[in-house]
Amino acid sequence: MLIRIPASHEPLPSEITPRQVYLSRRQVMAGLGLIAVAPPLLAQSAPGGGKLPRLAATPSTVAGAIAADKPTRYIDATSYNNFYEFGTDKSDPAERARTLRPRPWTVAVEGECAKPGNYDLDTLLKLGAMEERVYRLRCVEGWSMVIPWVGYSLSELIRRAEPTPKAKFVEFTTLADRAQMPGLRSAVLDWPYVEGLRMDEAMHPLALLTFGMYGEMLPNQNGAPVRVVLPWKYGFKSAKSIVKIRFVEKQPRSSWEDAAPQEYGFYSNVNPGVPHPRWSQASERRIGEDGLFAKKRPTVIFNGYEAQVGQLYAGMDLRRNY
Ligand SMILES: Nc1nc2c(c(=O)[nH]1)N[C@H]1C(S)=C(S)[C@@H](COP(=O)(O)O)O[C@H]1N2
Ligand SMILES: [Mo]
């Protein structure tokens, strides 16, 4: 259990004006002509660590891509992680992922497609226009963060590969190198870490091929140099440090499904109505708000992205397809 003691430079919770109050004050002042209303500068509201190369991006115009939630602090987003290739403790990736070498890096695109290929990182970085997207990320364990990611829609890479009509699913394989990843010595999962999506999910504009966060390149612990982020699904679907993208006809078996099929389904859409067999999914703890008196937040179906992605699952029994 984490109890955070605020540092002296941080405002006490009681000193922070609630967002709604602040926004309505601004509206009143703007109405009176007292202040100019400019769109907020995302990068400024959520500074990075300042140690990694900057990755320029423009705010995304994709519907639903910019959550109004306050971004999680960079220090929290980079020190409380799941990346089992570096250990199973939340602090392990930040401490141990420095052995990961994110360059040179190649992603193989293969399987049911007309144009397979090997993409090196520099080619991938230039393939699409970099966008900043502020996504909520909900871990199946019951905590969440809000992260300003940098990348472009995965659909841009998929289109270039020209998948054949047989390509019904996309399988992601992530790096499994014992020399770089000390966690592989443990058999918690059957390495490499594999995840999958149905083709229409992978083509959804919110599915993000991600290279950076907080205006900078991804830190190793967050899945450098390239990962996916699927904001409407539990965090484990968002595979880190991807080395292979394969188009397949049959539904791929993901590592988590493999490890515990009754607990982790293929879809894993965020759903407060379907409890994990060992705990409820009805609410979540927002990292950074974990003080003694912080209330848990109610978890929202599809993590709040139902308007954008609900159609993908029309007519499906979400209890059976968990
Ligand atoms: N390769 C790989 N990807 C992974 C994981 C992992 O262990 N290995 N953990 C997943 C889980 S459980 C979560 S919640 C998210 C966490 O992403 P973050 O650390 O950037 O917040 O990464 C996902 N991607
Ligand atoms: Mo997770």
Side-chain angles (χ1 to χ4, degrees), residues 154-207:
L154 174 63
S155 63
E156 300 207 29
L157 176 60
I158 294 180
R159 277 202 194 92
R160 277 189 173 68
E162 298 179 12
T164 71
K166 274 188 173 174
K168 301 283 191 265
F169 295 90
V170 187
E171 181 191 76
F172 304 93
T173 305
T174 82
L175 184 73
D177 179 0
R178 279 177 167 246
Q180 298 179 62
M181 302 170 136
L184 297 188
R185 267 173 249 141
S186 147
V188 259
L189 290 173
D190 189 8
W191 313 109
Y193 193 102
V194 174
E195 259 308 335
L197 295 173
R198 213 169 56 191
M199 188 56 102
D200 59 343
E201 298 180 305
M203 288 299 289
H204 193 281
L206 285 177

Side-chain angles (χ1 to χ4, degrees), residues 81-85 139 149 174 193 222 227 235-236 238 240:
N81 303 98
N82 275 335
F83 199 167
Y84 277 20
E85 288 86 335
C139 176
W149 302 105
T174 82
Y193 193 102
N222 293 86
R227 67 177 297 178
F236 68 85
S238 296
K240 294 175 169 179

Side-chain angles (χ1 to χ4, degrees), residues 39-44 54-63 65-67 125 128-135 147-153 156 205 208-209 211-216:
L41 290 171
L42 296 164
Q44 281 188 357
R54 291 202 54 83
L55 188 55
T58 52
S60 180
T61 55
V62 169
I66 301 189
L125 285 168
M130 288 293 170
E131 298 179 6
E132 179 166 72
R133 303 196 183 177
V134 183
Y135 284 170
I147 299 183
W149 302 105
V150 180
Y152 51 80
S153 292
E156 300 207 29
L208 188 69
L209 192 64
F211 302 89
M213 56 196 268
Y214 299 80
E216 301 172 358

Side-chain angles (χ1 to χ4, degrees), residues 155-295:
S155 63
E156 300 207 29
L157 176 60
I158 294 180
R159 277 202 194 92
R160 277 189 173 68
E162 298 179 12
T164 71
K166 274 188 173 174
K168 301 283 191 265
F169 295 90
V170 187
E171 181 191 76
F172 304 93
T173 305
T174 82
L175 184 73
D177 179 0
R178 279 177 167 246
Q180 298 179 62
M181 302 170 136
L184 297 188
R185 267 173 249 141
S186 147
V188 259
L189 290 173
D190 189 8
W191 313 109
Y193 193 102
V194 174
E195 259 308 335
L197 295 173
R198 213 169 56 191
M199 188 56 102
D200 59 343
E201 298 180 305
M203 288 299 289
H204 193 281
L206 285 177
L208 188 69
L209 192 64
T210 309
F211 302 89
M213 56 196 268
Y214 299 80
E216 301 172 358
M217 302 291 282
L218 281 176
N220 288 354
Q221 60 267 41
N222 293 86
V226 57
R227 67 177 297 178
V228 284
V229 182
L230 296 318
W232 69 99
K233 292 179 177 285
Y234 289 120
F236 68 85
K237 297 292 291 181
S238 296
K240 294 175 169 179
S241 305
I242 292 171
V243 292
K244 188 159 66 181
I245 297 176
R246 189 174 176 81
F247 301 103
V248 295
E249 197 171 0
K250 296 213 175 72
Q251 183 172 307
R253 196 140 162 87
S254 74
S255 297
W256 279 105
E257 226 188 328
D258 224 31
Q262 66 294 345
E263 298 187 15
Y264 308 106
F266 176 77
Y267 285 94
S268 286
N269 292 313
V270 173
N271 190 343
V274 177
H276 182 279
R278 291 182 281 135
W279 60 82
S280 162
Q281 293 291 22
S283 65
E284 66 203 58
R285 187 169 62 88
R286 185 61 59 82
I287 300 299
E289 294 179 348
D290 40 14
L292 210 44
F293 304 106
K295 273 209 225 97

Side-chain angles (χ1 to χ4, degrees), residues 103-170:
R103 264 173 202 276
W105 194 273
T106 309
V107 177
V109 178
E110 55 183 54
E112 288 295 343
C113 62
K115 297 206 168 129
N118 291 306
Y119 291 82
D120 65 38
L121 183 61
D122 292 315
T123 307
L124 281 176
L125 285 168
K126 280 180 274 179
L127 206 84
M130 288 293 170
E131 298 179 6
E132 179 166 72
R133 303 196 183 177
V134 183
Y135 284 170
R136 291 177 292 274
L137 183 118
R138 168 61 156 81
C139 176
V140 75
E141 296 164 345
W143 50 267
S144 62
M145 295 197 195
V146 180
I147 299 183
W149 302 105
V150 180
Y152 51 80
S153 292
L154 174 63
S155 63
E156 300 207 29
L157 176 60
I158 294 180
R159 277 202 194 92
R160 277 189 173 68
E162 298 179 12
T164 71
K166 274 188 173 174
K168 301 283 191 265
F169 295 90
V170 187

